[in-house]
Amino acid sequence: MAKVKKQPRPKAETPKGFRDYFGAEVAQRKAMLDQIATVYHRYGFDALESSAVETVEALGKFLPDVDRPNEGVFAWQEEDDWLALRYDLTAPLARVYAQHRNDLPTPYRRYAMGPVWRNEKPGPGRFRQFYQCDADTVGAASVAADAEICAMLSDTLEAVGIPRGDYIVRVNNRKVLNGVMEVAGILDPTDPEKFSTERGIVLRAIDKLDRLGPDGVRALLGEGRKDDSGDFTKGAGLANEQVDVVMSFMEAKRADGAATVARLKELVSNSTIGQSGVQELETIAELMAAQGYASDRIEIDPSVVRGLGYYTGPVFEAELTFEIEDEKGRPRQFGSVAGGGRYDDLVKRFTGQEVPATGISIGVDRLLAALHAKGRLDKAAVGPVIVTVMDRDRMGAYQSIVGDLRNAGIRAEVYLGNPKNFGNQLKYADKRNAPVAIIQGSDEAERGVVQVKDLVLGAKIAESASHEEWKAQPAQREVALADLIAELRKMLGDMDSDGAG
Amino acid sequence: MAKVKKQPRPKAETPKGFRDYFGAEVAQRKAMLDQIATVYHRYGFDALESSAVETVEALGKFLPDVDRPNEGVFAWQEEDDWLALRYDLTAPLARVYAQHRNDLPTPYRRYAMGPVWRNEKPGPGRFRQFYQCDADTVGAASVAADAEICAMLSDTLEAVGIPRGDYIVRVNNRKVLNGVMEVAGILDPTDPEKFSTERGIVLRAIDKLDRLGPDGVRALLGEGRKDDSGDFTKGAGLANEQVDVVMSFMEAKRADGAATVARLKELVSNSTIGQSGVQELETIAELMAAQGYASDRIEIDPSVVRGLGYYTGPVFEAELTFEIEDEKGRPRQFGSVAGGGRYDDLVKRFTGQEVPATGISIGVDRLLAALHAKGRLDKAAVGPVIVTVMDRDRMGAYQSIVGDLRNAGIRAEVYLGNPKNFGNQLKYADKRNAPVAIIQGSDEAERGVVQVKDLVLGAKIAESASHEEWKAQPAQREVALADLIAELRKMLGDMDSDGAG
C-alpha cells in the first residue's frame, strides 16, 4: 500500500439542532400528513409544493417572534442574490400567488406540507428543522373563508385521532383587539404607524398570558418585567388606566359565545374598527352553528392573539385540552398545536394590490408528540418475516422463498449478514421486531418443508414458560413450502404486514 | 393616512433553478413515492428521514461529476461550522449509520425519499432542487444484497407503471473494470493511488459512450476531444493499445449473459481483481435466475460504469427502452432513471472501519417525466363539487350543504369569491375542473331542492349540440336536497372524488 497522508476523520453528527427520524417515526408522520391531506383535499384545497429555497427579498421581514435575539433564517449569498431556507409556508405562498396569480383560480385554496427551517437557538425538543402543514385561502374577503378554515381544523384534529372534547379551536379577531387599543389610546386610525412599537409589545405580552399569568402580562404592559433569572424585559409603558382596558379585553370571555360577544361590544363601543371585528366574530359564530360546530369544538376567546404581526382580522388557535406530564412529572395542559388567521397584506408586498387571505398552520411534530403522550401511537412497527440462511450455498433457494412471499404481499427478507452464527440471525430478527423467522436446512429442503418460528409467541414463552413447555417448542413448527403463504397469512392475522405508511 | 416612505417591491420569483409544483404534479409525485415505498417496505427496508442540512465536513468531498466547473453544494457558515444542504441521500446515510450504528440492526436496510440540492448551473428541465428515492443495505458484504437491490429495482419500475419490456436493469462490476485497467497498465494493485487521475478520466469517458459514441470515447481515452463548440477536453493520454483494451471491454456485451461473462473472463484473465469481479457477476446472474428475473428484466452490460468515484463492486443502472420525442421532435431513447452500486468505503471515512454497503437511487422526477411522455398520467386532476352562492345571506345554508357532502366523503366547496356575478362562479368551477356545480336560489330552498349542473356533460354539449339541445339543458336538473348525496355519487361514478394522493 502507498503511504497516504492521514486526514482527521469527520465527526458523524447532525449539525446542532437537527435530527434524524427512523422507521416508525417516519411512517407515523407520513400517516398523519396523509390523514390531514385527505381532509384538506376534501374541503377543495389543492396541493402546492414550493421550493425550499427562496430569495431573502421574497421572504421579506415577516419573521415571527421578533423579540428573540437569535431569531433568523439560514441564509447565504449566491452570485447577486441572498438565498434562504423558508422559515414557514405562508411567506412562500404569498410569493407563489403573486408570481402565478394569472394562472391560478380565485379564490385559490391550497395546502402545503413540508419542513421549514429556523435559525434559532436549539433546545430540548426544539429543533431547527420541523414540519408544518398549512391550508390557506387566498382571494376570499368573506369571513365565510375563515369559518371554513376553523371547521376544517376541527375535522382535521379528529381525523388524526384527537377525539372531540380533547381539543378546542379558539377564535378571536385582531380588529377587536385594535378597537381595544384605540380605546386604550395606543391606536390612532388617522395615523396607523404611531404607537406601533407599543402595540407590538402589547401583542406579544397578551400572547404570553398562559405562561406568565395576568401579573406578568400587566408588568409587560406597564414598565416591564424582570424574569426569574433577573433579566429585564422592557414593557409597553402604558399607564394604569390603559393597562386596565387591555386586561379587561383579555378577561372578556364569558360562559358562552353570545355573552362574550356582548361583553366585547361594550368594550369597543367607541371604536369603528372594533365594532367591525365583533361583527365578524358574530358571523363566524353563526356560520359554525349552521354547520353544527358547537362550543365543544369551536369557541370565541379574546385571549387568543397569535404573536405574528401580520394578522389583520380573525385569528385562530387549536389547543389540546388534556393534561400530560412535563419533564418533571407535573401535570400540565398540552397546549397549542395549530394557529392561523387572516392576513390581507402579504401578497400586497409584491403586487401593490391588497389580496385578502386566511389560513392555518398545523405543527405536525407537536401533534405527533401529543398522540405519543396519550399512548395512541406504537413505539415500534412490526418488522418483516425473516428467512434465515442455514446453508450459504442455497442462497438462491432462500431468495426464491422470499420472492414468493413478497409477491403475495407479505413483507419479508433473507438474512444478508454473515450467516455463520445462527444465533446472530435470530438476534437480528429480534432487533427488527420480526414476527416470524423461517428456517430451512438441507434436510427440510429435500422434504419440501420449512420450519416456521413464531417469534411473538416465542418471546412470550421465554418470559413465562416452564422448562417442559420450553422444550416442547410450541412456537416452532414444520410447514410444507406449498402451504407457507397461507400459514403466514393466518399467523400474521390482522397485523399490517405490507403498509409502507 | 401617514406618509410612509415607499420601498421598492420585492420580485415574486423563485431563485434561479428552483420551481414550484402545483396540484396534480404534487399528487402524482406523492402517488409514485407511495408506490415505491410500498415495494421497498415489502423488501424489508425501513424508512429514514435524515436532516436536510449537514455539516460540510460530514458531506465530505463525495460530489459527483467532478469535472464540471459549477459543481457544488449550497453552503454557509454558522458560528464555527460550515453547513450545507445535502446533495444526495447516500452521504447522509453514511453519516447516520456511523452515528447510530450501535442502535441499528446489521445489516441495516433503509429507504429514504426527499429533495436534494445541487449548486449547479440550471438549464431547461434541470433544477437545483429535485427528488431522490433511495434504498440501501449497509453491513452486508454478500452480492446477494446487490442482487436483491436489482430485483427490487425491477419490481419498483413495474409498480409505478413501467411495463416489462419498457425497461432494463443493467448490471456491471467495477472490479471487472479495474481488472481491465490493470491489463491496460493503468492500475497497479501494489500502488492503488498511481494513475488515479487517468482512471478518473477513463471512467467518465466510458460513462459518456451513449452521448459521444465510440469515437468520442476513444478521443477522451487518448489525447483529448474537441466538442462542437470548439472547447477541448483533455484526455487520459493512453496509448493506442491501451485504448484498445478499454474499448474491447466496453464492447464485450454478447447475445446473452453467459456469453458476456465468458468474454469478460478472457479480457481479465491476467487480473485477480478482474476475475473476482466476473465471479460476482456470475453469482448475481445465478441469484436473479433463481428468482425468475430473466434477461428481459436484468442483463449484464459492460458499458455501465456510473460516473461516481466511490463504487467498489457491482454497479446498476435502470434504463427506459422506449422512444420519446426530444425538443426538436426527433425520436430518442428515454434513457436512465435510476442507478446505484456497491460502495464499501463511505462509512469508513467516519469510523475507520470498512462497512460494506450497496444501494440504488431512483430519479423520481425523471420517472414522472417518462410516464407523462407515454401519456400515462393525466395533466389535470378532477376538481371539487362547487356549491354556488345565489343568495349571499344564505351562506350558512350553503355551508351546511357542503358540510354534508364532505361528511359523505365527496370533495366539495362553497364558492368563496364575490358572488355578485354568477358567470364568474361558473368560470371558477371550470378553472377548478369541477365535475358538478350545485345551484340553490331562494325558490329552490323553499321547495327543498337544488339544481345540479353536470359540467362535464355541459362542456360536451357546448362543443357539439344544436340550439334545441342546448335549450333543453340536459346537463342540468332538479334534485331533492335529501337525494343529493346519492345523486352525486351516481354522477361522479368511478371518478376519484376524495383521494388526496
Side-chain angles (χ1 to χ4, degrees):
Chain A
M1 285 286 288
K3 275 171 205 153
V4 180
K5 206 177 160 195
K6 270 207 177 163
Q7 290 195 324
R9 285 187 207 135
K11 280 194 221 88
E13 281 174 10
T14 47
K16 265 182 244 120
F18 290 87
R19 57 161 293 194
D20 306 309
Y21 296 83
F22 294 89
E25 294 170 320
V26 180
Q28 285 162 358
R29 182 164 58 202
K30 182 187 178 314
M32 179 175 280
L33 293 176
D34 285 355
Q35 288 161 338
I36 296 174
T38 300
V39 178
Y40 286 178
H41 183 261
R42 189 182 302 150
Y43 268 79
F45 287 70
D46 273 349
L48 168 68
E49 185 168 333
S50 64
S51 62
V53 178
E54 297 274 350
T55 63
V56 167
E57 183 192 1
L59 289 181
K61 56 190 172 64
F62 292 97
L63 295 175
D65 304 328
V66 282
D67 57 344
R68 224 172 296 146
N70 285 320
E71 163 53 48
V73 297
F74 291 106
W76 64 92
Q77 197 164 12
E78 205 63 57
E79 289 165 27
D80 298 336
D81 287 335
W82 273 88
L83 304 184
L85 291 174
R86 63 183 179 206
Y87 60 84
D88 72 3
L89 300 172
T90 310
L93 170 63
R95 192 269 303 154
V96 167
Y97 186 80
Q99 183 173 349
H100 300 281
R101 64 190 183 280
N102 293 331
D103 302 319
L104 292 170
T106 297
Y108 177 50
R109 283 176 169 93
R110 87 88 179 78
Y111 70 87
M113 30 191 61
V116 300
W117 292 267
R118 302 266 171 99
N119 195 354
E120 294 174 345
K121 225 188 166 86
R126 186 182 178 83
F127 296 99
R128 298 162 104 184
Q129 171 179 330
F130 55 92
Y131 267 74
Q132 285 192 338
C133 189
D134 286 23
D136 293 78
T137 302
V138 182
S142 158
V143 291
D146 302 282
E148 178 178 85
I149 295 277
C150 292
M152 186 166 73
L153 179 55
S154 167
D155 287 8
T156 302
L157 292 172
E158 295 185 17
V160 303
I162 310 286
R164 204 168 297 176
D166 270 0
Y167 71 90
I168 187 80
V169 176
R170 303 208 156 103
V171 184
N172 193 14
N173 195 309
R174 273 291 171 82
K175 291 180 185 169
V176 181
L177 179 60
N178 283 339
V180 170
M181 302 253 207
E182 194 182 343
V183 172
I186 50 171
L187 176 67
D188 177 354
T190 65
D191 185 358
E193 291 302 307
K194 205 170 157 189
F195 303 121
S196 67
T197 309
E198 286 80 359
R199 289 197 305 274
I201 299 176
V202 169
L203 261 183
R204 292 193 293 277
I206 297 178
D207 209 24
K208 288 174 184 158
L209 178 62
D210 269 4
R211 196 146 52 83
L212 306 182
D215 289 345
V217 175
R218 284 197 87 94
L220 284 175
L221 294 175
E223 286 310 310
R225 177 178 175 271
K226 196 181 271 187
D227 68 16
D228 294 342
S229 72
D231 285 347
F232 185 77
T233 307
K234 199 175 169 304
L238 304 194
N240 274 338
E241 317 83 77
Q242 294 178 299
V243 172
D244 288 343
V245 172
V246 174
M247 292 305 292
S248 63
F249 164 76
M250 292 172 65
E251 290 154 359
K253 198 179 158 204
R254 296 292 179 265
D256 62 59
T260 305
V261 164
R263 172 67 180 140
L264 289 174
K265 268 190 183 156
E266 276 173 39
L267 285 174
V268 298
S269 57
N270 291 328
S271 160
T272 311
I273 181 103
Q275 286 172 346
S276 133
V278 176
Q279 177 62 52
E280 288 181 6
L281 279 178
E282 276 190 294
T283 307
I284 290 177
E286 282 164 24
L287 287 170
M288 301 315 307
Q291 292 175 79
Y293 291 82
S295 60
D296 59 338
R297 288 194 266 179
I298 297 179
E299 67 172 16
I300 292 171
D301 185 338
S303 70
V304 172
V305 300
R306 307 294 304 156
L308 289 173
Y310 60 59
Y311 293 121
T312 54
V315 287
F316 342 111
E317 189 163 80
E319 198 166 311
L320 302 189
T321 51
F322 54 78
E323 286 188 342
I324 55 155
E325 289 188 352
D326 69 8
E327 319 75 76
K328 292 178 181 159
R330 294 169 305 203
R332 65 162 181 85
Q333 287 230 323
F334 191 88
S336 172
V337 290
R342 177 166 284 277
Y343 51 97
D344 285 347
D345 298 333
L346 274 190
V347 177
K348 191 180 177 186
R349 286 182 62 231
F350 295 102
T351 64
Q353 292 171 307
E354 199 165 277
V355 177
T358 184
I360 190 79
S361 180
I362 295 182
V364 174
D365 296 314
R366 272 188 64 75
L367 208 41
L368 282 166
L371 291 176
H372 272 294
K374 290 289 273 185
R376 293 196 190 128
L377 290 174
D378 292 332
K379 281 257 181 281
V382 176
V385 169
I386 308 283
V387 176
T388 58
V389 176
M390 295 296 280
D391 182 355
R392 196 188 283 252
D393 295 336
R394 298 186 50 259
M395 189 53 103
Y398 298 128
Q399 293 281 18
S400 163
I401 293 174
V402 93
D404 289 344
L405 297 184
R406 289 166 180 161
N407 287 336
I410 295 170
R411 189 182 191 207
E413 55 168 69
V414 174
Y415 180 72
L416 285 180
N418 187 336
K420 215 170 165 185
N421 180 333
F422 190 70
N424 280 349
Q425 300 197 43
L426 291 184
K427 268 184 215 156
Y428 171 82
D430 189 47
K431 192 144 199 176
R432 290 299 306 277
N433 205 19
V436 174
I438 291 171
I439 305 161
Q440 191 192 52
S442 50
D443 163 60
E444 280 102 351
E446 263 169 41
R447 294 189 291 118
V449 300
V450 294
Q451 299 288 331
V452 174
K453 200 173 166 71
D454 184 330
L455 299 174
V456 182
L457 182 58
K460 268 190 210 143
I461 292 173
E463 264 176 22
S464 63
S466 68
H467 186 67
E468 280 65 38
E469 285 171 319
W470 177 245
K471 273 178 67 182
Q473 289 206 321
Q476 181 168 330
R477 63 182 175 291
E478 194 171 290
V479 174
L481 193 51
D483 301 331
L484 180 59
I485 289 170
E487 181 67 22
L488 285 176
R489 284 201 174 129
K490 222 186 309 166
M491 290 175 72
L492 299 174
D494 54 1
M495 282 196 260
D496 172 23
S497 65
D498 195 38
Chain B
M1 286 284 289
K3 274 171 207 155
V4 181
K5 205 176 159 193
K6 272 206 175 162
Q7 289 195 324
R9 287 186 204 135
K11 280 196 220 85
E13 281 174 11
T14 46
K16 266 183 241 116
F18 290 87
R19 57 161 293 194
D20 305 310
Y21 296 83
F22 294 89
E25 294 170 319
V26 180
Q28 285 162 358
R29 183 164 59 203
K30 182 186 179 315
M32 179 176 280
L33 293 176
D34 285 354
Q35 288 162 338
I36 296 174
T38 299
V39 178
Y40 286 178
H41 183 261
R42 189 182 301 149
Y43 269 78
F45 288 70
D46 272 350
L48 168 67
E49 184 167 334
S50 63
S51 63
V53 178
E54 297 275 350
T55 63
V56 167
E57 183 192 2
L59 289 181
K61 57 190 171 62
F62 291 99
L63 296 174
D65 304 328
V66 282
D67 57 344
R68 224 172 296 147
N70 285 320
E71 164 53 46
V73 297
F74 291 106
W76 64 92
Q77 197 163 12
E78 204 63 56
E79 288 165 27
D80 299 335
D81 287 335
W82 273 89
L83 305 183
L85 291 174
R86 63 184 179 206
Y87 60 84
D88 72 4
L89 300 171
T90 311
L93 170 63
R95 191 268 304 154
V96 167
Y97 187 81
Q99 182 173 350
H100 300 281
R101 64 190 183 281
N102 293 332
D103 302 319
L104 292 171
T106 299
Y108 177 48
R109 283 175 170 93
R110 86 88 179 80
Y111 71 86
M113 31 190 61
V116 300
W117 293 266
R118 302 267 170 99
N119 194 354
E120 294 174 344
K121 224 189 165 84
R126 186 182 178 82
F127 296 99
R128 298 162 104 184
Q129 171 179 329
F130 54 93
Y131 267 74
Q132 285 192 337
C133 188
D134 286 23
D136 293 78
T137 302
V138 182
S142 159
V143 291
D146 303 283
E148 179 179 86
I149 295 276
C150 292
M152 186 166 74
L153 179 54
S154 168
D155 287 8
T156 302
L157 292 173
E158 294 185 17
V160 302
I162 310 286
R164 204 168 297 176
D166 270 359
Y167 73 90
I168 187 81
V169 175
R170 302 208 158 102
V171 184
N172 193 14
N173 196 309
R174 273 290 171 82
K175 291 180 184 170
V176 181
L177 179 60
N178 284 339
V180 169
M181 303 255 207
E182 193 181 345
V183 173
I186 50 171
L187 176 67
D188 178 352
T190 65
D191 186 357
E193 291 301 308
K194 205 172 157 187
F195 303 121
S196 66
T197 309
E198 286 81 359
R199 289 198 304 275
I201 299 176
V202 169
L203 262 183
R204 291 193 294 277
I206 297 178
D207 210 24
K208 289 174 183 158
L209 179 62
D210 269 5
R211 195 147 52 83
L212 306 182
D215 289 346
V217 175
R218 283 197 88 96
L220 284 174
L221 294 175
E223 288 310 311
R225 177 178 174 272
K226 193 182 273 188
D227 69 16
D228 294 343
S229 74
D231 284 348
F232 185 76
T233 308
K234 199 173 170 304
L238 305 194
N240 274 339
E241 317 83 77
Q242 294 178 299
V243 171
D244 288 343
V245 171
V246 174
M247 293 304 293
S248 64
F249 165 76
M250 292 172 64
E251 291 155 359
K253 198 178 158 203
R254 297 292 179 267
D256 62 59
T260 304
V261 164
R263 172 66 180 141
L264 290 174
K265 269 190 184 157
E266 275 174 38
L267 285 174
V268 298
S269 58
N270 292 328
S271 160
T272 311
I273 179 104
Q275 285 171 346
S276 135
V278 175
Q279 177 63 52
E280 287 182 5
L281 280 178
E282 276 190 293
T283 307
I284 290 177
E286 282 163 24
L287 287 169
M288 301 316 307
Q291 290 176 79
Y293 291 82
S295 61
D296 59 339
R297 288 193 267 180
I298 297 179
E299 67 171 16
I300 292 171
D301 185 338
S303 71
V304 173
V305 300
R306 306 296 304 157
L308 290 173
Y310 60 59
Y311 292 121
T312 54
V315 287
F316 342 112
E317 188 164 80
E319 198 166 309
L320 302 190
T321 51
F322 55 76
E323 286 188 341
I324 55 154
E325 289 189 352
D326 69 8
E327 320 75 76
K328 292 179 181 159
R330 293 169 305 203
R332 65 164 181 84
Q333 287 230 321
F334 191 88
S336 172
V337 290
R342 178 166 285 277
Y343 51 98
D344 286 347
D345 297 332
L346 274 190
V347 177
K348 192 181 176 184
R349 285 183 62 231
F350 296 100
T351 63
Q353 291 172 309
E354 199 165 278
V355 177
T358 184
I360 190 77
S361 180
I362 294 182
V364 175
D365 295 316
R366 271 188 65 74
L367 208 41
L368 282 167
L371 290 176
H372 272 294
K374 291 288 274 185
R376 292 195 192 129
L377 290 175
D378 293 332
K379 282 257 181 279
V382 176
V385 170
I386 308 284
V387 176
T388 57
V389 176
M390 295 294 281
D391 182 355
R392 198 187 283 251
D393 294 336
R394 298 186 51 259
M395 189 53 103
Y398 298 127
Q399 293 281 17
S400 163
I401 293 174
V402 93
D404 289 344
L405 297 184
R406 289 166 180 161
N407 287 336
I410 296 170
R411 190 182 190 207
E413 55 169 68
V414 175
Y415 179 73
L416 286 180
N418 186 337
K420 214 169 165 186
N421 180 333
F422 190 70
N424 280 350
Q425 300 197 44
L426 290 184
K427 268 185 214 155
Y428 171 82
D430 188 47
K431 193 146 198 174
R432 290 299 307 278
N433 206 19
V436 173
I438 291 172
I439 305 161
Q440 191 193 50
S442 50
D443 162 61
E444 280 101 352
E446 264 169 41
R447 293 189 292 120
V449 299
V450 293
Q451 299 289 331
V452 174
K453 199 173 167 74
D454 184 331
L455 299 174
V456 182
L457 182 58
K460 267 191 212 143
I461 291 174
E463 263 176 23
S464 63
S466 67
H467 185 67
E468 279 66 36
E469 283 171 319
W470 178 247
K471 272 179 68 184
Q473 289 205 323
Q476 181 167 330
R477 64 183 174 289
E478 195 170 289
V479 174
L481 193 50
D483 300 332
L484 181 60
I485 288 170
E487 181 66 23
L488 284 177
R489 284 202 175 125
K490 223 186 310 165
M491 289 175 73
L492 299 174
D494 53 0
M495 281 195 261
D496 173 23
S497 66
D498 196 38

